[in-house]
Amino acid sequence: MTINGFSTALSGTRQPCVPPPTRSVGSINTRYPSVDAHAASQAALLLCLDPANSAPASQLRLENRSIQHLSPEPTANALSKEERDQIWVMEPTITYDEIRKVNRVVVRKNEKVWAEGHHIDDTIVKNTPKAFIADGTDTEFYDEEGNFICGIIYNIDVKEGAIGELGSLAQATTKRGAGGGLLPDIDKIKQNLESDGATNISISGGWAISYIASGKKRKTTKANSHHSTVYGVSGRRGDGDIAPSKRAGLTVVKPYLELLTDCFKKSFPAQYLDHDKKMRKCQGHVYYQENSVFSTMAVNRHEIDKEGAVKKQSRAALHTDKGHHKDGFEVMLTLKKNIEGGDEFLPEYGILLKLQDRSVTCFKGTAIQHDVTAIGRKDLSKQANRVTALGFMLKLSDAMLTSAKERATSAEAALPPTETNVMPQIGMATHAHSIQGHETPLPAATVLPEPMDPYAFSQEMANLRQALTESQHALQILSLQKELLESRLQNEQLINAELRRQLSLSSQGASPAVGGAFLSMMSPGANTTTTTTSLSDQESRRLKHSRSDCEDADVVVLQSPAKRLRTEKF
C-alpha cells in the first residue's frame, strides 16, 4: 500500500512508516510539509493507524497512550515578554475628561530604534495592548511631562460623496521620501544605471535613487509610485504662489480645509492656539488658505479592485514629514469604504490609532514617526477605497519668509489711515471722522486677539468651568428662595383667610369666644387676659401647619450654600 508515493510496508516491526521530511532551511515545500518522526508516530498511535491491521487497538493500549509530546508549539504571531517590554515600556495612565468627553492616556517613549522606509511588522501591530489603542472613543495621548503626542476623534459629519470627490484628486507621484517605502533591488538598479551611462547617482535611504541620465541635464529620481497629490502652497515655487495647474483642485479641497480647521479648533483647542500663535510669529499665517490655519492639503488614495489587485497605492511606510513646518500640527481626515486595516501606528510610543471612516487625527508628523498598517478588504467580493486628506503648514523657505514679510507690510500699508478712540468702559474701539463738526463712529476692522499660551488657556478654561459651577449653584439658591417666598405668601394668605372667617363669625354672633379672642388681639388697649375658647381641632392643625412651614422655610434659607439644598419640604 502506498500513500502519497510512500510505501506503508513494515519491516520486521509493526511501526508505521513515516514519510521523510522534505522541507529545507529557507524554503517551504507545500506538498510534503516537514513532519517530526516522533510526533507522527504518536499521532498514528492516537488514531490507531495500523496499515497491516485495521482492527481497533486494545483498551489497555488506549489507556496507556500519552499525548505530552503533541502539545502545540508557541504561535509565531506572539511576542516575547522582552520584545513587548521594549515597545510598551510602562503601564499607561488613563483618565476620562467629563467636560470634553475624551480619554486622556499618558504613555512613555521607548528607546528602540525604528528604521524609516520599512513597514512595522504586523505581529507588533496585532499584539498592541488594548490600553494603547484608540478605537471608536475620542482619545488623546500625552507623555509623562504633559506634552501632547496625538489625538483622534470619530464620527465627523462629512458630506455624501466626499470619498469620491477627494479621491479623484490623488495622482501618481514618486516624491514621498521614506513614506514611499524601500525600493526593491536598489543595488541592482544602480548597476543598471551605471551601465547605461548615468552620472551623479545617489541613493536616499534605500527608498529613492537620483541620477542624471545619459544625454540629459536635469536630475531624475526613481522611487515607488504612490497616489498622493498636494494642493495649495507647494513650496516648489520660491514665492509660495500656487501653481496654475493646481488652482482647480484647490477649489475642491478648500471646504475640507475649513472642515479640518473647525475640528482642530473645537476638538484640540490648546494645540490649535499653539499652532496659530507660532505661525503668526513667523509670518506663516500669510500663507493660510481662506478660513483655514493650513497652507496646504495632501490627498492620498488607496484602491483595491474586486479581484484583490491594488490599483492605486498609498500605504505609507515608517517616516517623519520632512517638508512640513516643524512648529505646526497636522490634522487628517480619513474616509474608508470596505477597508480592513489601514490604521496609524506610532512605534516610538506603541500607539495604534484605528482610523475608522470619518475620523480625524491630530499630531506633529515632523517629530513623531508614523506608519500605515496593512490594508485589506472586509468583503472580498467588492472593491475597496481608502482616502485621506491631510491639512498642514508647509515648511517655509527663506524666499517664502521674505515674501511673507513683504506681503504683511503691503497689507498694513493698504489699510486706510484712521484715528482710533478707545472706549474702556465698554471695551470697544471706534474710528472717528469729523463730519460737520460731529464725530460719527464707523465699524472697526476685525482684529484677531493674540493667541493664549496653551497652559494659560487650560487654566482659563478651568476657571471658567469653576465660575459656571458657582453660577449654577447660585441660580439654584435663588430658585429655592423664590419657592420659599411663594410658600410664605401662601401661608400668609391662609392666615388672613382664617382671620377673616373668625371675624365674620364674631360679627354674626357665632363662636363669640373665638371672635373675642381675635378682636382682643387686634384692638389697642384691649384686655389680653380675656378668657378664650380653643379653636376647633381642624383650625388648630391648619394654623400649626402654616406656622411650621414658615419655620422650616427659615431653616432652609439659612443653610450654607456649600451644603446640599433639600427641596422636598416644598
Side-chain angles (χ1 to χ4, degrees), residues 37-111:
H38 180 71
S41 63
Q42 291 292 329
L45 176 64
L46 288 174
L47 297 173
C48 305
L49 295 179
D50 189 344
N53 185 7
S54 60
S58 64
Q59 183 65 28
L60 180 62
R61 186 180 177 186
L62 292 174
E63 291 175 353
N64 291 337
R65 64 188 178 182
S66 171
I67 60 172
Q68 60 181 350
H69 297 291
L70 299 179
S71 57
E73 296 180 358
T75 174
N77 291 328
L79 294 176
S80 66
K81 184 179 183 304
E82 181 180 0
E83 289 173 323
R84 290 195 301 270
D85 292 344
Q86 288 179 352
I87 303 172
W88 302 284
V89 295
M90 66 169 283
E91 189 69 24
T93 303
I94 305 176
T95 56
Y96 184 71
D97 188 334
E98 290 286 352
I99 302 297
R100 298 179 56 218
K101 307 298 182 185
V102 60
N103 278 336
R104 181 187 174 100
V105 185
V106 178
V107 298
R108 183 186 300 167
K109 187 176 182 178
N110 58 56
E111 298 180 357

Side-chain angles (χ1 to χ4, degrees), residues 238-432:
D239 55 4
D241 284 339
I242 300 167
S245 60
K246 297 291 186 70
R247 295 189 185 278
L250 180 59
T251 303
V252 177
V253 303
K254 272 188 175 180
Y256 297 97
L257 281 169
E258 295 178 14
L259 172 66
L260 291 180
T261 299
D262 186 59
C263 291
F264 193 18
K265 181 187 299 184
K266 294 179 179 179
S267 300
F268 307 99
Q271 289 70 41
Y272 170 86
L273 290 172
D274 181 57
H275 172 99
D276 187 54
K277 179 180 180 180
K278 291 178 178 176
M279 292 305 105
R280 291 180 181 279
K281 185 176 181 180
C282 69
Q283 302 297 326
H285 68 288
V286 172
Y287 295 104
Y288 282 177
Q289 297 299 328
E290 186 179 2
N291 299 324
S292 169
V293 292
F294 305 112
S295 66
T296 314
M297 172 171 279
V299 181
N300 310 298
R301 181 176 184 178
H302 193 97
E303 180 182 342
I304 306 175
D305 65 14
K306 293 182 179 180
E307 287 70 34
V310 177
K311 291 298 184 181
K312 296 182 179 180
Q313 168 72 263
S314 71
R315 182 192 174 190
L318 186 65
H319 68 287
T320 55
D321 298 316
K322 301 295 189 293
H324 300 188
H325 199 289
K326 63 181 181 65
D327 292 326
F329 283 91
E330 301 168 2
V331 182
M332 183 177 73
L333 169 68
T334 299
L335 302 172
K336 287 182 174 181
K337 186 176 181 180
N338 192 35
I339 287 290
E340 182 73 31
D343 302 315
E344 197 85 20
F345 190 74
L346 281 57
E348 295 171 299
Y349 297 92
I351 296 172
L352 177 60
L353 302 177
K354 291 283 190 176
L355 305 184
Q356 297 181 6
D357 182 41
R358 298 182 296 112
S359 62
V360 169
T361 55
C362 174
F363 63 100
K364 277 191 177 181
T366 57
I368 302 173
Q369 290 181 315
H370 48 286
D371 170 65
V372 176
T373 64
I375 303 176
R377 293 178 296 163
K378 292 180 178 179
D379 187 343
L380 301 182
S381 64
K382 298 179 180 179
Q383 69 173 17
N385 274 290
R386 176 185 183 269
V387 174
T388 59
L390 180 73
F392 64 96
M393 194 65 203
L394 191 74
K395 181 179 179 180
L396 303 178
S397 64
D398 293 338
M400 292 178 67
L401 288 172
T402 302
S403 177
K405 292 177 182 179
E406 292 175 353
R407 294 184 187 190
T409 303
S410 301
E412 292 177 0
L415 294 175
T418 57
E419 178 185 353
T420 302
N421 294 332
V422 179
M423 304 173 63
Q425 66 274 19
I426 57 175
M428 295 178 60
T430 60
H431 297 269

Side-chain angles (χ1 to χ4, degrees), residues 113-332:
V113 177
W114 303 89
E116 294 193 351
H118 297 263
H119 285 290
I120 300 299
D121 194 319
D122 197 45
T123 301
I124 295 176
V125 176
K126 290 182 178 179
N127 282 272
T128 303
K130 186 176 181 180
F132 289 82
I133 301 176
D135 189 4
T137 301
D138 295 354
T139 307
E140 293 177 353
F141 290 88
Y142 294 82
D143 64 19
E144 293 176 293
E145 286 72 39
N147 299 313
F148 179 84
I149 300 172
C150 63
I152 184 169
I153 56 176
Y154 293 93
N155 300 319
I156 301 302
D157 187 16
V158 183
K159 71 176 184 179
E160 192 74 23
I163 189 169
E165 183 177 47
L166 284 172
S168 64
L169 300 176
Q171 306 298 322
T173 181
T174 57
K175 294 178 169 46
R176 291 209 70 185
L182 299 179
L183 269 175
D185 300 326
I186 193 168
D187 292 331
K188 186 176 181 180
I189 295 175
K190 182 180 179 181
Q191 294 176 1
N192 293 338
L193 289 173
E194 291 174 342
S195 61
D196 292 339
T199 58
N200 293 3
I201 300 175
S202 61
I203 297 177
S204 301
W207 48 79
I209 182 168
S210 300
Y211 59 96
I212 298 178
S214 178
K216 302 290 184 179
K217 294 182 179 180
R218 298 183 61 182
K219 181 171 285 191
T220 303
T221 300
K222 183 178 181 61
N224 293 323
S225 177
H226 276 211
H227 276 74
S228 177
T229 306
V230 171
Y231 292 91
V233 181
S234 66
R236 292 172 187 167
R237 296 169 62 95
D239 55 4
D241 284 339
I242 300 167
S245 60
K246 297 291 186 70
R247 295 189 185 278
L250 180 59
T251 303
V252 177
V253 303
K254 272 188 175 180
Y256 297 97
L257 281 169
E258 295 178 14
L259 172 66
L260 291 180
T261 299
D262 186 59
C263 291
F264 193 18
K265 181 187 299 184
K266 294 179 179 179
S267 300
F268 307 99
Q271 289 70 41
Y272 170 86
L273 290 172
D274 181 57
H275 172 99
D276 187 54
K277 179 180 180 180
K278 291 178 178 176
M279 292 305 105
R280 291 180 181 279
K281 185 176 181 180
C282 69
Q283 302 297 326
H285 68 288
V286 172
Y287 295 104
Y288 282 177
Q289 297 299 328
E290 186 179 2
N291 299 324
S292 169
V293 292
F294 305 112
S295 66
T296 314
M297 172 171 279
V299 181
N300 310 298
R301 181 176 184 178
H302 193 97
E303 180 182 342
I304 306 175
D305 65 14
K306 293 182 179 180
E307 287 70 34
V310 177
K311 291 298 184 181
K312 296 182 179 180
Q313 168 72 263
S314 71
R315 182 192 174 190
L318 186 65
H319 68 287
T320 55
D321 298 316
K322 301 295 189 293
H324 300 188
H325 199 289
K326 63 181 181 65
D327 292 326
F329 283 91
E330 301 168 2
V331 182
M332 183 177 73

Side-chain angles (χ1 to χ4, degrees), residues 492-519 522 533-544:
E492 293 293 338
Q493 291 173 348
L494 289 174
I495 293 174
N496 291 336
E498 185 65 29
L499 288 174
R500 285 193 298 269
R501 189 181 72 83
Q502 297 297 339
L503 289 173
S504 177
L505 291 174
S506 175
S507 63
Q508 295 175 6
S511 302
V514 174
F518 277 94
L519 288 173
M522 299 175 62
T533 304
S534 301
L535 297 172
S536 65
D537 291 342
Q538 182 178 2
E539 294 165 349
S540 299
R541 284 194 299 271
R542 184 183 302 169
L543 289 174
K544 183 178 180 180

